[in-house]
Amino acid sequence: MPMHFLRPAPLWPSAAACILLTLACSAQAQTAASSATGVTRHRIHTGDTLEQLARHYLGDASQWQLLQRHNQVGSPYRLQPGSVLEIPNHLLRMATASVDYLQGRVTVLPPPSHTGSAGESALTPGQQLPEGSRLHVAPDAFVSVRLADGSLLKVQADSTLLLQQLRRKGRTGSLQSVVELQNGAVEATVPPNKAQPAALDVRTGTATSSVRGTQFGVYLAADGSTATAVQQGAVQVASHQSPNASALVPKGRGAAVTADGQLHQAALLPALPQGQLPRLAEDAQWLDLPLPAPTQGAGYVVQVTQDAAGQQVLRNGRFTGDKARFAAVPDGSYFLRVQAMDGHGIPGLPAQGPLKVKAHPVPPLYQTEPAAQLPTDGVDLRCTPVHGVSAYRIQIAAAGQDFSVPLQDRVVREGCALQTTDLAAGNYHWRTASIRTLDNGQTDQGPFSAPQDFRAIPRPAVPDAAALQWNTAAGVPTMHWQGEPGQSWRIVVARTPEAEHPVLDTRVNQPAWQAANLGPGQYFLRLQVRDPSGLDSPLSTARQFTVLPWVRDGSGMPLRSGSGLDVLSP
């Protein structure tokens, strides 16, 4: 019987690649996985048999015939040392993954062959995920998936990830895993294990990132380009369109594969200085995080986590510009992780710092209009009450000055308002905060509102009642006085000086008024000035005047005697 030799095949990674993959490669360089081609390749040693290899890789010695058929081996006992045997990955035993941490809404679509599959459903913590499961992460969600070998996939917000292949070599051997990132981003941590090196490929439409023990992230842009950033170990990045566009990317570097297959490498951007990370957020509706203008890069990758290790991610996303905005999180202490992205979309080294969220009790809303002009003899600042609040803190500072040393700093308990007569004419701004009383009796102050401007100005001078000039024309008394452009005047006429029950209360825009339609008798007039800013003077002292009982004709005009004098009624 003629002898059939096994087909020779190249190994990946090469011995040189194994030197660079210090956390990744096994000391036995003769065995390596190639998920990209769907097979695991084994270099034959003297004494190897198909039964032994089937037991080692497939966990079942009786499966040797499948290996024989695939490799066209004539005799299972006559394997040529130095040749390469292919083990199809689909023959390896299936493994499962599980949900390690979940925040927000994440749905899973199980594989069609999965028993009891009922379409897409919400993911739950600890849920087992078979090979072929497709995860969809909502824009405000996050999920960590633990593979059977301990590798952790942190799937970012607004992402879709397919667990394409989860296969184990033998019963307890290393895992051969392939995941497909269809949109969004995923960060992977593959623990190094020299005895049983794990194999993980992260594929997108343009590139494959392959590792054997490392920490890295893969980010798929809307234009189809793929960015890979390596934090630990090394990652083999290969373009799908350009066979020669492949690189082993070490720690501290990244690679980007464009939509047309071009590969670019770059050092990761440095971490932001700690002083440039926001430390306090006080908005109850949004978690707004100001960041430096991305002068070196295109934007930022931002995460808000509950733990310093970054495993419990509450908010995450990618942003262009100088601000990240998320939905609000409860008051508390968190950690902020920020990576600057370069022009290729490769995230840089992470910067991490503490973040405190203190948004409650919410500050009051202003009732006083913005830029209001208020009288110096009675500045009245008002705001809306807040439910559950026991007091309010109100501060006033000069315009252009901060509130480190405010001109006034008061706690008020009777309504949300402050009246003061202690301000000179000038420009100011004010702010207010709510204070609640906790169950233990202690007080808890919330954040201040954004400052609002106002101006303190003197009231217009009180009109001088003695300066009023009277004359009578056609039997009608008319009053004149001095005025200034833009002023208006309030006329109050009553039978008594106190004007308790006025018979007339009107406003005029000219410095003159006629006492028409008033019956005969004595009256008292008080005058008030309103200046162009809208401020009113106090009412003047009362000025007495008399309306005589003129006799009028049918047209309302006074009757005149033959001598030309107006006629009074008897």
Side-chain angles (χ1 to χ4, degrees):
M1 178 182 299
M3 178 179 293
H4 294 270
F5 294 97
L6 301 179
R7 297 190 301 273
L11 287 176
W12 190 96
S14 66
C18 285
I19 294 173
L20 291 176
L21 287 166
T22 55
L23 297 177
C25 298
S26 168
Q28 299 176 351
Q30 69 273 14
T31 302
S34 180
S35 300
T37 57
V39 297
T40 298
R41 296 189 175 97
H42 175 85
R43 180 79 68 182
I44 298 299
H45 282 191
T46 302
D48 283 347
T49 67
L50 289 183
E51 285 188 352
Q52 293 172 339
L53 297 177
R55 183 184 301 109
H56 177 70
Y57 285 98
L58 308 182
D60 185 355
S62 66
Q63 300 294 317
W64 66 268
Q65 291 177 324
L66 299 176
L67 298 181
Q68 181 183 31
R69 187 179 305 116
H70 175 82
N71 290 276
Q72 301 178 15
V73 176
S75 172
Y77 302 104
R78 302 179 66 182
L79 304 180
Q80 182 177 0
S83 62
V84 174
L85 182 81
E86 290 184 350
I87 297 91
N89 286 340
H90 71 270
L91 297 180
L92 301 178
R93 287 179 173 268
M94 281 192 183
T96 59
S98 61
V99 178
D100 192 70
Y101 173 79
L102 176 65
Q103 189 280 320
R105 179 169 176 77
V106 181
T107 57
V108 57
L109 182 65
S113 60
H114 188 59
T115 304
S117 174
E120 193 172 38
S121 60
L123 207 61
T124 57
Q127 182 174 339
Q128 296 296 304
L129 301 172
E131 179 182 277
S133 298
R134 187 189 308 271
L135 307 179
H136 178 68
V137 184
D140 58 350
F142 174 88
V143 64
S144 293
V145 175
R146 182 78 63 178
L147 304 183
D149 64 353
S151 298
L152 189 65
L153 303 177
K154 298 195 292 185
V155 192
Q156 309 297 305
D158 200 16
S159 298
T160 301
L161 186 74
L162 173 64
L163 305 181
Q164 192 175 80
Q165 176 182 296
L166 303 175
R167 298 281 170 159
R168 184 181 291 282
K169 184 176 68 175
R171 296 185 181 276
T172 60
S174 61
L175 200 66
Q176 318 292 322
S177 303
V178 178
V179 298
E180 180 181 320
L181 182 64
Q182 298 179 344
N183 67 277
V186 61
E187 295 180 355
T189 301
V190 182
N193 189 333
K194 293 184 178 181
Q196 296 180 341
L200 172 64
D201 288 358
V202 179
R203 298 178 181 175
T204 67
T206 51
T208 296
S209 301
S210 305
V211 300
R212 300 294 183 272
T214 186
Q215 183 178 343
F216 70 108
V218 178
Y219 308 84
L220 181 59
D223 63 0
S225 61
T226 300
T228 301
V230 183
Q231 306 294 337
Q232 296 290 339
V235 175
Q236 186 77 26
V237 177
S239 168
H240 292 174
Q241 295 189 36
S242 303
N244 296 326
S246 178
L248 186 66
V249 183
K251 172 183 176 181
R253 292 186 64 81
V257 177
T258 61
D260 60 1
Q262 301 300 309
L263 187 145
H264 304 272
Q265 291 192 68
L268 301 185
L269 291 179
L272 290 178
Q274 284 287 317
Q276 295 185 358
L277 296 181
R279 292 177 173 269
L280 178 64
E282 298 182 314
D283 194 310
Q285 183 176 4
W286 298 103
L287 180 58
D288 284 329
L289 302 172
L291 298 168
T295 54
Q296 298 186 63
Y300 294 96
V301 175
V302 182
Q303 291 184 343
V304 178
T305 69
Q306 284 188 319
D307 62 319
Q311 303 299 320
Q312 301 175 16
V313 178
L314 299 179
R315 299 288 186 269
N316 66 102
R318 286 178 285 177
F319 301 90
T320 57
D322 58 359
K323 183 176 74 173
R325 165 170 280 193
F326 298 109
V329 297
D331 289 2
S333 297
Y334 303 93
F335 294 91
L336 177 64
R337 184 174 183 263
V338 178
Q339 296 168 271
M341 290 188 296
D342 66 13
H344 295 295
I346 303 173
L349 297 174
Q352 181 168 299
L355 175 66
K356 181 180 180 181
V357 176
K358 177 57 175 172
H360 297 86
V362 296
L365 299 176
Y366 293 112
Q367 285 185 328
T368 301
E369 294 183 357
Q373 301 192 77
L374 306 175
T376 52
D377 62 350
V379 171
D380 189 2
L381 302 173
R382 295 187 175 272
C383 42
T384 58
V386 176
H387 178 71
V389 167
S390 56
Y392 304 92
R393 186 178 179 187
I394 298 177
Q395 294 181 330
I396 300 175
Q401 301 295 318
D402 61 25
F403 290 87
S404 57
V405 184
L407 298 176
Q408 295 195 20
D409 189 348
R410 301 186 189 178
V411 173
V412 296
R413 302 185 181 276
E414 299 297 330
C416 189
L418 173 64
Q419 293 82 35
T420 179
T421 59
D422 297 335
L423 293 178
N427 295 319
Y428 301 89
H429 57 172
W430 69 297
R431 64 180 187 173
T432 178
S434 300
I435 301 174
R436 61 186 172 188
T437 302
L438 304 178
D439 293 340
N440 59 8
Q442 295 183 341
T443 57
D444 177 34
Q445 179 182 310
F448 280 101
S449 56
Q452 178 174 283
D453 295 335
F454 72 94
R455 184 182 181 190
I457 59 176
R459 289 185 186 275
V462 178
D464 183 3
L468 299 178
Q469 300 178 6
W470 288 91
N471 61 57
T472 301
V476 179
T478 302
M479 178 178 65
H480 300 271
W481 62 90
Q482 294 295 320
E484 296 179 5
Q487 289 182 332
S488 63
W489 296 267
R490 179 187 175 195
I491 308 295
V492 180
V493 178
R495 293 286 188 176
T496 62
E498 295 77 13
E500 295 176 351
H501 303 286
V503 297
L504 179 69
D505 192 338
T506 188
R507 184 171 294 278
V508 297
N509 294 320
Q510 298 297 327
W513 173 73
Q514 285 186 336
N517 301 321
L518 289 178
Q522 288 190 342
Y523 296 91
F524 294 88
L525 180 143
R526 303 181 76 180
L527 188 64
Q528 186 181 50
V529 180
R530 175 172 292 175
D531 68 12
S533 69
L535 288 186
D536 292 326
S537 73
L539 285 166
S540 69
T541 57
R543 172 78 178 269
Q544 185 176 357
F545 69 96
T546 301
V547 177
L548 297 176
W550 307 108
V551 178
R552 301 179 184 274
D553 61 19
S555 65
M557 296 299 294
L559 289 176
R560 293 180 181 271
S561 66
S563 61
L565 298 177
D566 294 335
V567 178
L568 296 174
S569 61

